[in-house]
Amino acid sequence: MNERMEAERRVVIVGAGMAGVQTAVALREQGFTGRVLLIGAEPHQPYDRPPLSKAVLLGTAEGSAFDVDFEALGIELRLGVEVTALRPDAHEVDTEAGPVPYDVLVVATGARPVALPGSEGVRGVHLLRTLDDAQRLRPVLDSRHDIVVVGAGWIGAEFTTAAREAGCAVTVVEAAGRPLAGALPDEVAAPMAAWYEESGAALLTHARVAHLEPGEVALEDGRLLPAEAVVVGIGARPATNWLAGSGVALGPEGAVTADAYLRTSAPDVYAVGDCASFPSARYGERLMVHHWDNALQGPRTVAAAIAGEAARPYDPVPYFWSEQFGRFVQYVGHHPAADTMVWRGDPDGAAWSVAWLRGDALVALLAVGRPRDLAQGRKLIEAGTPLDPGLVADPSVPLKSAARA
Ligand SMILES: Cc1cc2nc3c(=O)[nH]c(=O)nc-3n(C[C@H](O)[C@H](O)[C@H](O)COP(=O)(O)OP(=O)(O)OC[C@H]3O[C@@H](n4cnc5c(N)ncnc54)[C@H](O)[C@@H]3O)c2cc1C
């Protein structure tokens, strides 16, 4: 494509979260000279989400706006504007303010938290996804309310950590028998239940909310829990309702089913971040990753494809972290691909890891307070280095030294 043609191309990115912003930035980094328009439904300057359940919630940081000079990069921002529909034949999206044409469209609309049935619009019930949500929760923490947290997942654990730090009485209601059900195997997540008790929060497992009363949460087993506030953290689903009728193929949970280059089934339309799934050749299955690193890496593939660089298939080793109960928890890889699990250290101790192997190759690693394991494990997974499982099991041996000679 000649320079004049590229300068006239218009890339429209829908969703001004991590994935949308990183796509815009990566386009410029990769030398794209055409127009870049970033449309976001939220009125705020684009911001990062992980601090919302940590420093922003505790008031030790005011906000988490991305440090990006959009003007200097020639990225046009249209904030507080919701995109309501996509018409691929016309190469247009619809907004409340009228249609917007595109040459290339990037769908980066992220995910929306799942609401507790019957709780929508009920006073005192909170979700934690946006800056507005975090700002609404700050006074709740300041006034040291009795809080019921529904769901002992990543958000539930981080919110509970902050609320206990602020001095609130917290009861966590979890339908499964342990925290992080669905994310980690039973035996790995089981020791994490003690972290709640240790922080002074009560964790009720095998417990389900029946209904909400003013100032109380009623459980199915008849128990009533005092609750001046309820925080719901029971998962998130791709924010793709606006694509209904567009012909863009969606998977069972509503994720855009992108291909290995993050292209969708519609011409000139890409999808990236929490809203999309992609086929992983590395793990032999389609992955939907709702973590920050995926919203950082995926945009580079999209931008390379749009800028006409020799794009490589998107096939990352997934990575995420969580800060909970004074611990730094990190995970890399995809453990369902493993056939063996190896403990490195005592899960009742302050620092330990779990390694998952397929044959003698590492495929996933969970590190609690052992960031060096994580950093070394990530490289070993990427390289597929054969390891000695006996040495992997010895926490005094650096993971990289477990490589077979
Ligand atoms: C509280 C919290 C803490 C987290 N902590 C961690 C962590 O510690 N570690 C980690 O690895 N991950 C963490 N995550 C996950 C990580 O933040 C997400 O994976 C990441 O934000 C995904 O980026 P995204 O751009 O795909 O989606 P989002 O961040 O959801 O951004 C999508 C944007 O699109 C906008 N949008 C949606 N629909 C439309 C529309 N129709 N028109 C216009 N705009 C629209 C939304 O308003 C939103 O601003 C956390 C998430 C949350 C909510």
Side-chain angles (χ1 to χ4, degrees):
M1 189 177 311
N2 67 38
E3 272 174 39
R4 197 183 60 78
M5 277 167 71
E6 178 171 297
E8 285 168 5
R9 273 170 97 209
R10 176 178 165 123
V11 176
V12 173
I13 302 167
V14 183
M18 179 71 182
V21 167
Q22 289 300 327
T23 302
V25 170
L27 278 166
R28 291 298 184 229
E29 279 171 1
Q30 296 184 24
F32 179 75
T33 55
R35 285 184 68 185
V36 178
L37 170 62
L38 186 55
I39 307 177
E42 295 183 68
H44 308 289
Q45 194 65 12
Y47 62 89
D48 208 9
R49 277 175 217 286
L52 300 184
S53 51
K54 306 170 184 82
V56 173
L57 197 54
L58 281 168
T60 52
E62 264 319 305
S64 55
F66 292 116
D67 185 16
V68 172
D69 188 341
F70 293 99
E71 208 181 320
L73 290 171
I75 297 165
E76 200 183 324
L77 282 182
R78 222 170 273 179
L79 301 174
V81 175
E82 184 159 350
V83 173
T84 51
L86 162 62
R87 286 175 290 113
D89 291 345
H91 270 57
E92 273 182 355
V93 290
D94 290 331
T95 73
E96 300 135 328
V100 177
Y102 64 82
D103 295 303
V104 178
L105 182 76
V106 181
V107 177
T109 43
R112 279 190 216 297
V114 176
L116 191 66
S119 73
E120 271 156 300
V122 177
R123 253 188 90 228
V125 179
H126 299 260
L127 297 165
L128 179 49
R129 179 83 198 176
T130 64
L131 182 58
D132 289 342
D133 293 338
Q135 282 171 347
R136 274 190 289 266
L137 278 164
R138 260 167 68 173
V140 173
L141 262 57
D142 288 345
S143 52
R144 303 201 183 157
H145 282 323
D146 283 344
I147 302 177
V148 168
V149 175
V150 183
W154 302 111
I155 297 288
E158 293 200 350
F159 176 80
T160 301
T161 303
R164 285 299 303 139
E165 218 168 306
C168 302
V170 184
T171 305
V172 182
V173 176
E174 168 56 54
R178 59 192 169 80
L180 291 168
L184 293 173
D186 282 5
E187 61 269 53
V188 177
M192 296 174 176
W195 301 355
Y196 285 79
E197 309 295 336
E198 203 180 88
S199 79
L203 172 64
L204 309 182
T205 53
H206 300 297
R208 286 180 174 276
V209 174
H211 56 268
L212 305 173
E213 310 252 346
E216 276 178 341
V217 171
L219 300 186
E220 282 182 357
D221 62 12
R223 279 180 287 183
L224 287 176
L225 308 173
E228 287 155 294
V230 178
V231 176
V232 179
I234 55 173
R237 296 284 176 274
T240 53
N241 292 356
W242 63 282
L243 293 171
S246 69
V248 168
L250 303 179
E253 290 203 328
V256 178
T257 46
D259 71 7
Y261 296 89
L262 300 179
R263 294 176 298 214
T264 73
S265 59
D268 304 316
V269 181
Y270 294 78
V272 66
D274 280 11
C275 68
S277 67
F278 55 90
S280 167
R282 188 187 292 278
Y283 297 112
E285 61 179 292
R286 182 165 278 280
L287 299 183
M288 180 174 78
V289 180
H290 279 188
H291 296 297
W292 187 91
D293 193 59
N294 179 55
L296 171 70
Q297 308 289 348
R300 294 176 186 155
T301 297
V302 173
I306 296 172
E309 301 287 317
R312 281 187 294 143
Y314 184 58
D315 200 3
V317 175
Y319 165 74
F320 67 86
W321 80 96
S322 170
E323 291 158 50
Q324 45 179 284
F325 307 110
R327 291 167 174 88
F328 190 39
V329 179
Q330 296 168 284
Y331 179 97
V332 66
H334 183 62
H335 66 267
D339 49 40
T340 328
M341 194 179 97
V342 181
W343 289 96
R344 271 172 71 74
D346 175 6
D348 294 329
W352 47 276
S353 303
V354 177
W356 284 272
L357 305 171
R358 183 170 55 206
D360 58 5
L362 190 66
V363 290
L365 186 109
L366 174 82
V368 177
R370 288 180 67 99
R372 214 167 279 165
D373 273 6
L374 194 288
Q376 294 177 11
R378 194 175 197 169
K379 288 186 187 143
L380 293 166
I381 293 172
E382 275 163 5
T385 311
L387 302 180
D388 177 337
L391 292 177
V392 171
D394 183 347
S396 68
V397 174
L399 202 52
K400 63 181 181 194
S401 304
R404 285 195 201 277

